[in-house]
Amino acid sequence: MVKNLSFRARLLWSFLLLIVISLVLPMWYSGHVVTQDLQVESETDAERLLRLVGRMLEKDLHFNDTEALNQWFKVVGTDLHVRLTYIADSGKVMADSDVLYRDLGHMDNHSHRPEVMTAMSGKLGLSSRYSDTLGTKLIYIADRISPSDGLPDGILRIAMPVATLMDRKDRLIGNLLIGVALTFILALPLCWVITRYLGRQIQNMTTIATAIGEGDYNRRMLFYPGREFSPLANSINKMAQNIRGQIHTITEQNQQLEAILESMKEGVMVLDTQGRIRSFNKAMVGIFPKMAGGLGKRPIEVVVDSSLQQACDAALTAKTAEDSRMKTMLIEPDGSNVYDVSIVPLAREDTDLGAVAVFHDISELKHLERVRRDFVANVSHELRTPLTSIKGYAETLLDNEKGISKASARFLEVILKNANHMTKIVGDLLSLSRLEAGRQKLEIRKVDAGAAVNSAFRECQPLADDRNITLTNEITGDKLWVIADFDRLVQVFRNLVENSIRYSPEKSHVSVGTIPEEDRVVLWVKDDGPGIPRNEQERIFERFYRLESHSNRLPGSSGLGLAITKHIIEGHGGEIWLQSPVEGTDKGAVFFFSLMKPNRNNSETEAVQT
């Protein structure tokens, strides 16, 4: 019920309750104190009167018999509004101001009355009780006296009616109640005025706070009930100012972001946590016209590509840091255009954003790559015939030692050397073109990686002997089975070992080893060369890329070995990476690549187009 009352009503009732408590408690306490004071005062007056009457009976007055005493008690009791009683030591009442002398014999024995018993023990007796004789409550006080001649020693008792005391108390309480009532009547309108003023001010604060909460951040609290409300008003004003500033900043950022998104050539699609399209930019509509009505739909309903839908679902369900990284993929939804799609998970507990996908149209780039591959393949193919002729004529002339001079022989050796180098370059270009175009067939089967290493070592041994470099196969055990094309695996080892020999110092070591893992085999080739700077490691697998510091190394390299190696490994479904410098040193490099382990599903021979 209290919760349903307004703040003003609760404040008014609180004030009234406080006033009532403030008035009633002092009144009750005052009445209690006054009652005690009146009680003490009455007892003091009764004792004083007892002493006075007792002194008169002991020294000033002489009565020959108890009848005269009883007559005197009656006169004095009437004048003083008290009851006087004289009791013998036996407890018999010998005189009483409120009883006729002839009726004294009918009164009860008073020896067991509390005040009489106390007085008989030599102390002043005091008690308060109801009197059956007078039919009212009295205060009794008694003391032992020794009257003058004619009366025996006994107990003098004086009784005062309590009604007199209660009348004084009732008059006092009545006056206090009148004062309390008058005070309450005067305080009631004052409380109403105060609570009405406070209620209006608080209502004003509530109205302003509600307006701020509904978005009117220009409202401010300029008036409030008192300085106690000043911190609250200042906090609300500061909050409104801060929110206004934040809204302004967010609005500017949204406008900037919207301008950036609308000016982008790339299509941008934002998904919510349920995988539904939440927003997109203008370029996305240009790429996929169905996107114009795609809000709330799933990506596959707009872009007909199952792999895109699967990638978006994986991004929305990402739980680990690895899964939360950006994923890239290529799609050709219409068979003519190629898009590079980057998908980034955005799901967090404090937002309903799921993921964002950016579509880059790389159709022209793919077309240019295709043209470049075809051009390289055609040029390489056309160069093979003249290079073969040059090599053949040079070798024929060199075989005729008597028919040529020493200078001519030296020139022919240079021609043959460069023709061999050009032939190697052309061969590598054709091989790379076939790999990039997907025209290279791989005979995937269960092969021994150790045997492939030994084959590569036999081909590279002459080059290693020229530089006095030791080749070491650290693959232990009889067989190390992997799933690969044996010839291509030999080519991978040959390229990596040749590369290590060319860039290693003389009298150093090149070693090949393995790191067994649960579901794959990791192989490595390590050298003692100068190493590869970290800022150039990302480009080391590009075609024709050479380090500036290594450009003067041994000639004969086509600059395509690592690029071909990377394509072969990826064609096997593996990965290739490097570490430089070698762990624990400041030089050298280690090339790692992974291959699948054989099992029941992949141990049979399988031709793969890559």
Side-chain angles (χ1 to χ4, degrees):
M1 180 179 179
V2 177
K3 294 182 179 179
N4 297 328
L5 295 176
S6 64
F7 175 78
R8 177 183 171 188
R10 282 184 285 177
L11 189 62
L12 177 61
W13 281 108
S14 299
F15 280 159
L16 294 178
L17 181 61
L18 181 62
I19 291 173
V20 169
I21 293 175
S22 301
L23 294 175
V24 170
L25 288 179
M27 184 189 72
W28 173 82
Y29 179 74
S30 299
H32 179 69
V33 171
V34 168
T35 301
Q36 288 183 338
D37 290 345
L38 290 176
Q39 180 78 17
V40 172
E41 181 181 351
S42 298
E43 292 174 356
T44 304
D45 291 344
E47 182 182 355
R48 187 182 302 112
L49 183 60
L50 179 66
R51 302 294 184 191
L52 176 62
V53 173
R55 188 179 301 109
M56 294 175 64
L57 290 176
E58 288 179 337
K59 297 181 179 181
D60 299 331
L61 300 177
H62 301 278
F63 296 96
N64 296 326
D65 53 30
T66 56
E67 184 179 1
L69 178 62
N70 192 73
Q71 187 65 30
W72 185 75
F73 273 7
K74 186 175 184 60
V75 174
V76 173
T78 302
D79 292 341
L80 298 179
H81 303 288
V82 296
R83 179 183 179 185
L84 298 175
T85 306
Y86 188 69
I87 304 167
D89 290 338
S90 62
K92 180 181 179 180
V93 178
M94 301 181 67
D96 193 302
S97 60
D98 290 350
V99 180
L100 296 176
Y101 181 74
R102 64 175 176 271
D103 296 330
L104 292 177
H106 301 292
M107 294 183 69
D108 296 335
N109 189 289
H110 283 36
S111 60
H112 298 292
R113 303 295 169 87
E115 69 279 2
V116 175
M117 294 175 63
T118 303
M120 287 181 177
S121 63
K123 299 178 181 179
L124 184 66
L126 179 65
S127 67
S128 177
R129 66 178 179 276
Y130 184 80
S131 173
D132 295 332
T133 304
L134 300 180
T136 185
K137 189 175 182 180
L138 301 175
I139 297 175
Y140 295 93
I141 186 168
D143 195 13
R144 184 177 181 79
I145 63 174
S146 299
S148 57
D149 296 340
L151 293 175
D153 294 344
I155 305 300
L156 176 63
R157 186 184 71 175
I158 293 180
M160 297 182 63
V162 178
T164 303
L165 177 63
M166 296 305 296
D167 289 343
R168 295 176 62 185
K169 175 184 175 182
D170 291 342
R171 286 195 301 272
L172 177 61
I173 296 300
N175 292 333
L176 289 175
L177 287 175
I178 293 173
V180 168
L182 291 176
T183 303
F184 184 79
I185 292 172
L186 293 176
L188 183 62
L190 180 62
C191 292
W192 183 83
V193 172
I194 294 175
T195 54
R196 184 168 178 268
Y197 171 75
L198 292 175
R200 284 185 175 181
Q201 294 296 323
I202 293 174
Q203 182 63 34
N204 182 48
M205 294 177 67
T206 304
T207 302
I208 295 175
T210 302
I212 293 174
E214 292 176 352
D216 186 2
Y217 303 115
N218 293 320
R219 297 288 294 272
R220 296 292 184 272
M221 290 187 181
L222 302 178
F223 303 99
Y224 36 86
R227 62 182 182 182
E228 293 81 3
F229 289 86
S230 177
L232 175 61
N234 292 335
S235 298
I236 294 177
N237 291 337
K238 187 175 181 180
M239 178 188 67
Q241 182 178 356
N242 292 338
I243 294 177
R244 181 182 178 186
Q246 292 175 0
I247 293 295
H248 179 71
T249 301
I250 293 173
T251 303
E252 284 188 347
Q253 292 176 348
N254 286 339
Q255 292 174 350
Q256 293 174 3
L257 180 60
E258 185 176 354
I260 292 173
L261 291 176
E262 293 302 322
S263 63
M264 288 175 61
K265 294 182 180 180
E266 293 79 6
V268 178
M269 176 179 67
V270 180
L271 305 178
D272 60 18
T273 53
Q274 303 301 318
R276 303 284 179 175
I277 299 175
R278 178 171 177 173
S279 62
F280 49 83
N281 65 346
K282 187 185 297 182
M284 196 67 183
V285 180
I287 297 174
F288 303 105
K290 291 184 180 180
M291 186 62 70
L295 288 179
K297 296 182 178 180
R298 295 173 63 82
I300 198 170
E301 299 179 54
V302 178
V303 184
V304 185
D305 191 290
S306 59
S307 60
L308 174 64
Q309 182 64 53
Q310 292 173 0
C312 291
D313 293 340
L316 293 172
T317 57
K319 295 181 179 180
T320 63
E322 181 68 23
D323 295 336
S324 299
R325 294 180 180 177
M326 181 179 68
K327 301 293 188 300
T328 59
M329 61 182 302
L330 296 180
I331 63 172
E332 296 183 61
D334 53 4
S336 59
N337 294 321
V338 182
Y339 300 96
D340 181 17
V341 184
S342 301
I343 304 175
V344 181
L346 299 176
R348 295 186 304 178
E349 295 182 356
D350 57 346
T351 180
D352 59 351
L353 298 178
V356 59
V358 181
F359 294 75
H360 306 265
D361 189 349
I362 59 173
S363 303
E364 185 66 24
L365 180 61
K366 286 295 182 181
H367 174 69
L368 293 176
E369 286 185 358
R370 219 165 20 244
V371 171
R372 177 185 56 77
R373 285 198 304 268
D374 294 342
F375 174 77
V376 171
N378 292 333
V379 169
S380 300
H381 183 73
E382 293 298 328
L383 286 175
R384 294 183 70 178
T385 300
L387 285 173
T388 303
S389 299
I390 293 171
K391 285 181 59 179
Y393 285 123
E395 290 173 351
T396 301
L397 291 173
L398 284 173
D399 290 340
N400 186 13
E401 297 179 357
K402 296 180 179 180
I404 59 173
S405 63
K406 291 184 178 181
S408 297
R410 189 168 60 252
F411 294 153
L412 287 172
E413 288 176 354
V414 172
I415 292 172
L416 181 59
K417 178 181 178 182
N418 285 284
N420 287 331
H421 182 55
M422 286 296 295
T423 301
K424 178 175 174 55
I425 292 177
V426 170
D428 288 345
L429 280 173
L430 286 173
S431 178
L432 184 60
S433 296
R434 285 193 298 269
L435 288 168
E436 290 179 341
R439 295 195 296 268
Q440 178 71 54
K441 288 186 177 180
L442 299 177
E443 297 294 331
I444 302 296
R445 63 183 183 275
K446 178 181 175 181
V447 299
D448 180 15
V453 173
N454 293 330
S455 296
F457 276 4
R458 284 194 295 270
E459 297 182 31
C460 299
Q461 193 63 52
L463 181 61
D465 292 340
D466 291 342
R467 298 183 55 79
N468 197 17
I469 292 177
T470 303
L471 303 180
T472 305
N473 186 354
E474 297 184 8
I475 298 177
T476 59
D478 295 335
K479 303 288 185 179
L480 178 61
W481 299 109
V482 295
I483 300 300
D485 183 310
F486 184 80
D487 294 335
R488 299 286 78 78
L489 182 56
V490 172
Q491 185 179 2
V492 167
F493 280 120
R494 185 180 66 245
N495 289 343
L496 293 176
V497 172
E498 276 188 4
N499 189 73
S500 296
I501 293 173
R502 292 181 183 278
Y503 296 104
S504 295
E506 295 184 358
K507 299 181 181 180
S508 60
H509 293 79
V510 174
S511 55
V512 178
T514 181
I515 303 175
E517 294 187 359
E518 182 177 353
D519 57 347
R520 65 177 185 173
V521 176
V522 175
L523 297 153
W524 51 263
V525 178
K526 180 171 65 174
D527 61 59
D528 297 331
I532 302 171
R534 293 187 182 278
N535 59 343
E536 298 190 72
Q537 290 181 9
E538 292 184 359
R539 301 189 59 194
I540 199 66
F541 294 102
E542 296 179 7
R543 66 179 68 199
F544 299 116
Y545 183 77
R546 292 188 180 184
L547 302 177
E548 290 295 332
S549 58
H550 300 170
S551 59
N552 295 325
R553 291 289 179 183
L554 289 178
S557 173
S558 64
L560 298 173
L562 291 179
I564 293 172
T565 299
K566 183 174 185 293
H567 278 82
I568 292 175
I569 295 301
E570 291 179 348
H572 283 75
E575 296 178 281
I576 184 168
W577 67 97
L578 70 93
Q579 175 186 331
S580 182
V582 177
E583 186 176 357
T585 67
D586 58 352
K587 62 180 181 177
V590 185
F591 284 86
F592 298 91
F593 64 92
S594 63
L595 294 172
M596 291 186 296
K597 283 185 175 181
N599 54 49
R600 291 183 179 180
N601 298 325
N602 60 18
S603 59
E604 299 296 331
T605 301
E606 179 183 358
V608 178
Q609 190 84 16
T610 180

